[in-house]
């Protein structure tokens, strides 16, 4: 938890305070005073006795005890200052604006660590260094402008980049989105995005805390902490949207060069966000639009009524909602005819509900009432109302304001006339509302919110397996790829169905094996890893002659030590894999085999542990899912069984963190059975 | 061509002029006067002698001859008024704001047609009715606000929706995008979007005309006219972006209910835009952003340098550019090291070029010079420069302004600090620049522009075919599906390779046929259309016994009249089709067969006539293209031959407009040959 003296200090010292408000030390003092900090303020500057009307101490040693220090002096002077603060001034909160630490060089990194050690020793909290500071309802501890409108219902925003935080605040201000707090974590020397989120989770109060959290992240240092607290907050009723920048390989290079941190695998980030229920955004406008949607009642269904006085934007909105998986269902029946009677001739109520350029505030109220009370299948309303500039529309926006509070269904306002009725929009926003100026950007964001599922209360089934056997195999194994026999034993111990097989070193072994299995069989090379690339797989062997000939062929392959014989199974090629992602844990993957992976890259991923619901969802989200269901009069694949094997693999990698890579490729599946016919497992202890 | 008296009238009469500027007739007169119309103005209103300082006539009969009439009176009075104007006042330009015409009912439709007839009779031009009017550099003939900034370089904007035009103008004004003209076509009684575009094409002057055209369309009435003039304008050096609303089925329903027009097939719209080289947009913000990109020098390559003083937005921009197929290549080497020397310690030049929060205007100039002159592989620059609010940035924006004019490579400014340095941004925009406030929305739009190819100078190869034979078959055919023999003859006449085949009615026929073809063969039912659904296809028949048995099986199928025998070919299943799309002409389609069409919907489409380049592009744009190239050590499909058959089909449907539907499904293709093995053709005369 962050120290309460950082969050709600009774006294603040600005070290490096200045009368020049173009410097960080000058501007932060101005912000603190302008934005009504109610506690005591001290300035420290060797050259001044008073700064901006605040008493100034020439020497840090002379100041009284102080809760929070905001430090805006050169990096080289910071450690000495902090030693005095922790030892003599009972200071527990620290914000260091200064740059020149770990982001600069190894010297800076050492200095930063020394500072953290000092602060840790007294149980204090450090935000920064190299950040813009902290804004909350208690104080505006940043050297930047603008300070956004702050209230309990505003968003809590944690940013890994100070400038990005500023630009996001600026973009938000035009729309009416407010904040509850803004944390800039800078170098995250002691406290990063994850720790601030943890703090927000641990101090969450359902009556007073904001229910909206926004994150801008360039590097996830502690994925499990992020997952834990994001999930927990969402389960407490919060909504979270986040940008994780560096999602492309070029962007990842850019982020690494900017933060010096290692790049995160983007598939892992996606899987983490999905598991937590975080709405992933990619840009500032999108983040703000999603946050603004969060400020409205939650969407409980996918059926949207569009209420408009202009046809064009309603058509574009309908297109955009449809493309995002939301419905604009046709509204028909007696009650819609009744509504039509109340509107001007030429109106349409079939959804979009178009009440024409001449439509009135009173008609808007009537339409909203019908959507709220009479059109049962409607889950939410979007109202588009601009102006060609002939007259004022205060009355319309007053109706909107009132209905947004009276109705249970969410009402989203699209007010596009940012020039013609700027005053009315400002008035609407000043009453605590948010405007969405562009219907398509709104629809894309709404779709994103609607398509992000809440985190499940994951009850990971305890899958029957032979734990002891599994651990024995792993403990005896060396780093690298397991031997075929070990793979088979491990999978069997994990209750993963594996096709029957035998490793044979002689022709006689082969003949004996086939007596047991029966023809047809498959023969595979043992030794080389990429069997098919070296021609090491011979299918559909139906006679003893071909068996012997195949043995001869395969044993000639370089590196071949023996052959593996399996009964020939029929079915659709499937794929299940797992991959360790540094500090994220394991990603579990599934798909159809062959060209579906190689050409179409049709793979779904989830972070282990994978629940049954998640496994089913992975399968159903495959683009080629219809093939698993069965197409062209052919039976598909036993879906519950496929899901169960995914769970078993998730289970196995959870028990055996030493598994670096695991591939069941292919499994052969039909409507009755699924068997792994080839598998590779790589161990990294 | 639109009458010059509409475009550049020397005199304008406002019929229904009013002192109440909250009415269309009042506001348009105000707009005309405020925005400096230099010709003569007359007002007509039975109750006034002077309106807003303009002489007012009580009776239309009393006004002098007038070039343009802007009509804002009830629909029922319009016809009489127009008769007087065309007969007695030599009026050639007409704008009718009034509603109550074809959009209302059949009475209104008749009235509208009567008006068009009157105007046609004197060679006049009518914009509307039911529109907001026309704005160009000669006059502001609209009843709405705002009137955007107008200049020769601004966009020509044609809108099928008046309100949408207003909202687009409003959204554009904040960014600095200017206009050259705005046409609102309303009901398009005489002149629609296509006709205005035709006019802009026919009057295009490379020295004085705007090079940017924007369209908002709800229904394409004349696709071929749109294609012709869009292509022509783009070949003259213009760029065109367009929204075609109603792209989803729900949106299409919404558009139809709004405009009363039939919905266009969205695949056909896509194909039309692609052929013309129109950048397709889906929302107002996107259209404006694309238009703003058009106002910069054209992007000639895909390598972008990002120049920034803030890391976060640069990372998000890198991600977004990458996802849109653009590169942010690493910059290395001696010259980049040289540049690094000139920047503050801690800067990075590897691209993004990050010159830190403390970066100066002078450094920006240096960086831009390096990108322009020394970094050869860079094609364009994006400069991100906001402000945390400590000091002014006029000097930086001055550098940007100057370099944008001096450099050959395009420079796109991302100025995110819309609050902190609002004055500086306004200053920058006032000097004729455009700001892109959000880096990700910018990147998405830039990607769209970069990925839209210019129209080719299509030289449709005259493919050798037997035209006479083709016409004979079609002339003798009846409506509906052609018989197998007709299909075969038609395809052969069109030089489409068809697998050898024979229709057999008796077992003896079958045996004789196989003597010619050799085993193995395929047998298909003749009669039923959906052969495979009724079990009417038997593959790989290898013996006379199976041949006879197969004949018996197939002839038992309901509707079976005979069987079709073909040699059994091996290869990858391919698909080529064609479909007549009302007034768009034919869409030609291609893809892989089977599940690729049924499950993955992996189909590419182009409007006929399809050139060789287009056919190759269709094939290469398939998601499953790698399979055509060959995967897993298997040879692929002869791509030039596949493209050639696509062209031949395009050729055939161009010669035979009576073909409503044509399916070659499947063709079997390998690296040496491609044969159609099944085909259906439906004729609609």
């Amino acid at each position: 938890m962050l120290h309460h003296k950082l969050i709600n200090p009774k006294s603040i010292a600005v070290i490096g305070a200045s009368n020049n408000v173009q410097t960080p030390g000058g501007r932060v003092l101005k912000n603190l005073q302008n934005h009504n900090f109610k506690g005591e303020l001290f300035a420290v500057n060797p050259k001044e006795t008073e700064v901006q009307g605040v008493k100034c101490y020439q020497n840090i040693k002379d100041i009284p005890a102080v809760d929070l220090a905001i430090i805006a002096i050169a990096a080289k002077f910071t450690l000495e200052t902090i030693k005095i603060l922790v030892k003599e001034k009972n200071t527990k909160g620290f914000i260091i604006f200064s740059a020149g630490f770990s982001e600069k060089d190894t010297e800076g990194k050492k200095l930063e660590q020394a500072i953290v050690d000092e602060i840790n020793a007294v149980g204090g909290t450090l935000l920064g260094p190299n950040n813009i500071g902290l804004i909350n309802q208690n104080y505006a501890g940043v050297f930047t402008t603008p300070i956004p409108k702050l209230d309990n219902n505003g968003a809590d925003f944690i940013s890994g980049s100070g400038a990005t935080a500023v630009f996001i605040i600026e973009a938000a201000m035009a729309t009416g989105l407010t904040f509850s707090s803004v944390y800039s974590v800078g170098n995250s020397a002691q406290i990063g995005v994850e720790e601030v989120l943890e703090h927000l989770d641990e101090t969450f109060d359902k009556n007073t805390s904001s229910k909206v959290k926004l994150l801008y992240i360039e590097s996830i240092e502690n994925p499990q902490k992020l997952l834990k607290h994001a999930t927990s907050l969402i389960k407490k009723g919060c909504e979270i949207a986040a940008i994780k920048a560096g999602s492309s390989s070029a962007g990842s290079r850019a982020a690494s060069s900017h933060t010096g941190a290692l790049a995160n695998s983007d598939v892992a980030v996606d899987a983490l966000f999905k598991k937590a229920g975080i709405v992933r955004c990619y840009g500032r406008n999108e983040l703000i639009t999603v946050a603004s949607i969060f400020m409205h009642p939650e969407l409980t269904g996918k059926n949207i009524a569009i209420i408009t006085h202009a046809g064009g934007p309603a058509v574009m909105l309908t297109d955009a909602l449809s493309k995002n998986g939301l419905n604009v269902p046709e509204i028909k029946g007696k009650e819609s005819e009744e509504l039509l009677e109340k509107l001007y001739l030429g109106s349409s109520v079939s959804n979009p509900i178009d009440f024409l350029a001449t439509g009135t505030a009173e008609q808007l109220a009537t339409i909203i009432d019908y959507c709220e009370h009479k059109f049962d299948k409607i889950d939410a309303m979007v109202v588009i109302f601009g102006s060609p500039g002939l007259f004022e529309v205060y009355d319309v926006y007053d109706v909107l304001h009132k209905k947004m509070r009276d109705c249970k269904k969410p009402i989203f306002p699209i007010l596009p006339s940012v020039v013609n009725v700027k005053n009315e929009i400002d008035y609407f926003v000043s009453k605590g509302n948010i405007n969405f100026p562009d219907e398509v950007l709104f629809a894309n964001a709404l779709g994103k919110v609607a398509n992000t599922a809440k985190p499940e209360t994951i009850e990971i089934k305890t899958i029957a397996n032979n734990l002891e056997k599994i651990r024995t195999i792993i403990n005896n194994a060396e780093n690298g790829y397991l031997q075929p026999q070990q793979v088979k034993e491990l999978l069997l111990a994990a209750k993963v169905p594996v096709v029957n097989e035998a490793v044979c070193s002689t022709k006689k072994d082969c003949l004996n094996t086939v007596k047991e299995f029966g023809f047809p069989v498959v023969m595979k090379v043992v030794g080389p890893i990429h069997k098919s690339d070296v021609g090491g797989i011979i299918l559909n062997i139906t006679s003893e002659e071909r068996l012997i000939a195949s043995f001869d062929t395969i044993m000639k392959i370089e590196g071949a030590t023996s052959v593996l014989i399996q009964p020939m199974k029929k079915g659709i090629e499937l794929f299940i894999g797992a991959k360790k992602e540094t500090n994220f844990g394991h990603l579990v993957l599934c798909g159809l085999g062959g060209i579906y992976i190689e050409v179409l890259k049709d793979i779904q991923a989830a972070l282990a542990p994978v629940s049954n619901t998640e496994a089913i969802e992975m399968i159903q989200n495959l683009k080629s899912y219809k093939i698993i269901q069965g197409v062209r009069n052919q039976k598909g694949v036993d879906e519950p069984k496929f899901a169960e094997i995914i769970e078993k693999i998730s289970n196995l990698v959870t028990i055996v963190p030493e598994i670096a890579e695991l591939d069941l490729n292919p499994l052969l599946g039909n409507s009755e059975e699924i068997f792994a016919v080839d598998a590779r497992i790589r161990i990294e202890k």
Side-chain angles (χ1 to χ4, degrees), chain A:
Chain A
M1 234 159 59
L2 276 55
H3 202 287
H4 69 91
K5 286 187 177 176
L6 173 72
I7 305 303
N8 190 10
K10 300 301 165 212
S11 52
I12 302 177
V14 176
I15 323 293
S18 164
N19 281 310
N20 178 356
V21 297
Q22 295 196 340
T23 64
R27 182 57 66 99
V28 67
L29 191 60
K30 183 164 185 247
N31 281 340
L32 288 165
Q33 296 196 86
N34 283 1
H35 294 276
N36 213 17
F37 172 61
K38 297 208 171 54
E40 277 185 291
L41 269 179
F42 314 121
V44 179
N45 183 330
K47 293 181 189 152
E48 307 281 352
T49 53
E50 191 183 289
V51 176
Q52 299 182 46
V54 171
K55 181 173 165 55
C56 183
Y57 298 82
Q58 284 76 48
N59 191 322
I60 182 87
K61 286 188 176 272
D62 301 334
I63 67 167
V66 68
D67 287 354
L68 167 65
I70 298 179
I71 296 170
I73 55 177
K76 59 184 172 185
F77 302 125
T78 49
L79 180 59
E80 212 43 52
T81 301
I82 280 158
K83 281 183 178 168
I84 295 163
L85 288 164
V86 296
K87 284 176 188 147
E88 301 174 22
K89 307 299 175 189
N90 197 27
T91 306
K92 303 292 183 188
F94 297 85
I95 294 173
I96 304 181
F97 294 155
S98 329
F101 292 93
S102 63
E103 88 286 359
K104 190 179 159 222
D105 50 26
T106 46
E107 274 309 300
K109 196 175 168 68
K110 270 186 215 160
L111 180 59
E112 188 175 293
Q113 189 54 51
I115 288 171
V116 170
D117 292 343
E118 292 289 338
I119 294 171
N120 279 343
V122 298
T125 300
L126 164 66
L127 210 58
N130 190 20
N131 70 347
I132 64 163
L134 167 60
I135 309 170
N136 64 26
Q137 293 174 69
N138 302 313
Y139 70 106
V142 291
F143 70 84
T144 58
T145 55
I147 308 299
K149 199 178 155 199
L150 296 158
D151 60 60
N152 273 352
N153 297 322
D156 286 316
F157 172 31
I158 316 169
S159 181
S161 155
T164 308
V166 171
F167 302 157
I168 286 175
I169 292 168
E170 291 184 272
M173 285 176 77
T175 69
L177 178 66
T178 62
F179 292 83
S180 168
S181 65
V182 180
Y183 295 83
S184 160
V185 296
N187 291 359
S188 304
Q190 185 205 41
I191 297 293
V193 172
E194 296 90 328
E195 286 72 30
V196 178
L197 196 70
E198 176 182 38
H199 170 80
L200 294 177
D201 182 23
E202 290 175 346
T203 59
F204 183 80
D205 177 319
K206 72 175 164 46
N207 297 313
T208 59
S209 297
S210 161
K211 306 240 170 7
V212 174
K213 316 293 173 198
L214 305 180
L215 317 176
Y216 173 83
I217 312 174
E218 287 182 358
S219 171
I220 302 175
E221 297 300 320
N222 195 332
Q224 292 302 329
K225 186 180 274 186
L226 182 62
L227 176 61
K228 176 180 169 189
H229 296 291
T231 309
S232 163
L233 280 163
I234 293 174
K235 285 186 182 167
K236 289 173 183 171
C238 292
E239 295 182 283
I240 304 181
I243 295 172
K244 164 64 182 71
S247 57
S248 63
S249 59
S252 181
R253 174 175 56 73
S256 297
S257 111
H258 176 216
T259 64
L262 281 176
N264 300 124
S265 140
D266 203 57
V267 180
V269 173
D270 259 346
L272 170 65
F273 281 21
K274 191 166 185 200
K275 202 171 195 90
I278 296 171
V279 177
R280 185 165 189 186
C281 298
Y282 293 88
R284 294 183 288 118
N285 180 292
E286 189 180 42
L287 185 74
I288 291 161
T289 310
V290 166
S292 299
I293 289 167
F294 286 166
M295 296 299 171
H296 293 76
E298 205 172 323
L299 200 61
T300 55
K302 299 212 161 182
N303 293 325
I304 316 286
I306 297 174
I307 303 167
T308 186
H309 76 144
V315 180
M316 289 188 278
L317 178 58
T318 305
D319 286 336
L321 289 171
S322 301
K323 276 172 206 165
N324 282 288
L326 295 163
N327 310 323
V328 183
E330 200 166 354
I331 297 175
K332 282 190 281 196
K334 200 171 64 78
E335 279 157 342
S336 83
E337 285 161 27
E338 198 180 288
L339 172 61
L340 190 58
E341 286 291 310
K342 297 175 200 270
L343 305 178
Y344 289 140
L345 192 67
S347 296
S348 161
V349 295
S350 67
N351 199 17
I353 300 173
D354 186 342
F355 64 122
L356 307 182
T358 46
T360 66
E362 199 189 342
Q363 289 172 341
L364 176 62
T366 307
I367 296 168
I368 292 176
D369 287 343
Y370 269 77
C371 289
E372 174 76 4
H373 300 295
K374 306 212 170 179
F375 300 152
D376 291 342
K377 69 172 164 185
I378 293 303
D379 301 306
M381 295 166 246
V382 184
V383 176
I384 303 174
F385 207 98
S387 164
L390 294 178
F391 38 76
E392 295 175 340
V393 296
Y394 287 101
D395 56 343
V396 175
Y397 293 178
D398 274 334
V399 163
L400 206 45
H401 172 79
K402 183 168 183 308
K403 293 294 177 188
M404 285 170 72
R405 277 144 192 85
D406 293 349
C407 293
K408 286 194 180 135
K409 297 178 183 175
I411 301 176
F412 300 100
I414 311 274
L415 313 181
S417 283
V418 289
V419 177
N420 281 334
V421 291
K422 181 180 185 310
N423 293 340
E424 288 92 323
I425 293 174
D426 289 348
Y427 161 80
F428 178 73
V429 163
S430 74
K431 298 209 296 179
N433 300 301
I434 295 174
N435 179 29
F436 298 91
D438 190 275
E439 53 278 356
V440 172
L441 298 178
F442 161 76
N444 292 343
L446 188 69
K448 213 156 225 201
V449 173
N451 293 318
T452 305
K454 299 279 171 209
E456 327 172 49
T457 308
I458 302 180
E459 280 181 47
I460 299 297
K461 259 197 289 185
T462 316
I463 293 177
N465 61 37
N466 193 333
L467 183 57
E468 209 174 320
K469 171 101 190 186
I470 289 173
R471 287 300 334 168
T472 309
I473 297 167
I474 297 300
N475 294 341
N476 294 334
E478 287 175 9
N479 273 350
Y481 286 101
L482 294 183
Q483 292 303 311
Q485 191 56 31
Q486 291 173 305
V487 169
K488 186 180 172 182
E489 282 171 19
L490 192 61
L491 293 175
L492 288 176
K495 311 282 182 193
V496 173
V498 180
V499 77
N500 215 342
E501 63 180 31
V503 176
C504 307
S505 312
T506 64
K507 289 176 189 172
K508 200 177 154 199
D509 282 358
C510 293
L511 290 167
N512 284 337
T513 296
V514 169
K515 266 178 202 135
E516 185 196 333
F517 291 173
F519 284 113
V521 295
V522 178
M523 188 182 288
K524 298 177 182 177
V525 67
V526 176
I529 292 298
H530 297 284
K531 301 182 180 73
S532 59
D533 292 356
V534 295
I537 301 180
I538 300 176
L539 299 172
N540 207 24
I541 300 170
T542 50
S543 67
E544 295 198 346
E545 293 72 37
R546 277 213 57 209
L547 188 73
I548 300 300
S550 300
F551 181 82
D552 287 338
T553 307
I554 283 188
M555 290 305 285
K556 278 182 200 139
I557 293 170
E558 199 183 320
T561 57
S562 51
V563 305
L564 185 86
I565 295 179
Q566 298 172 330
M568 175 93 186
K569 290 278 179 187
K570 280 196 175 168
I572 294 169
E573 280 191 21
L574 303 171
F575 160 76
I576 297 174
K579 190 167 181 295
K580 184 144 58 174
E581 289 287 346
T582 19
N583 68 7
F584 278 76
H586 283 89
L587 271 179
V588 177
L589 312 158
C590 80
L592 271 78
I595 52 123
Y596 293 94
I597 294 183
E598 289 169 33
V599 177
L600 302 167
K601 314 283 179 213
D602 185 17
I603 298 172
Q604 287 288 313
L607 268 191
V610 177
S611 69
N612 184 261
T613 316
E614 284 176 299
I616 296 274
E617 206 176 88
M618 285 167 78
I619 297 170
Q620 295 185 347
N621 283 341
L622 288 167
K623 291 188 211 100
S624 45
Y625 173 56
K626 278 196 183 163
I627 294 169
I628 288 173
Q629 290 181 294
V631 280
R632 291 188 141 192
N633 304 323
Q634 282 179 5
K635 280 188 183 172
V637 172
D638 183 335
E639 200 176 313
K641 202 164 274 175
F642 190 22
E644 197 185 306
I645 304 176
I646 295 171
E647 281 180 84
K648 285 175 175 169
I649 292 300
S650 157
N651 212 246
L652 176 63
V653 294
T654 309
I655 298 168
V656 188
E658 297 95 330
I659 294 178
E661 270 182 77
L662 177 153
D663 280 301
L664 308 184
N665 188 16
L667 303 105
L668 286 177
N670 54 42
S671 61
E672 271 144 40
E673 52 178 23
I674 305 179
F675 284 100
V677 297
D678 208 349
R680 282 193 301 163
I681 298 175
R682 192 165 62 79
I683 299 295
E684 223 174 72
K685 292 190 184 180

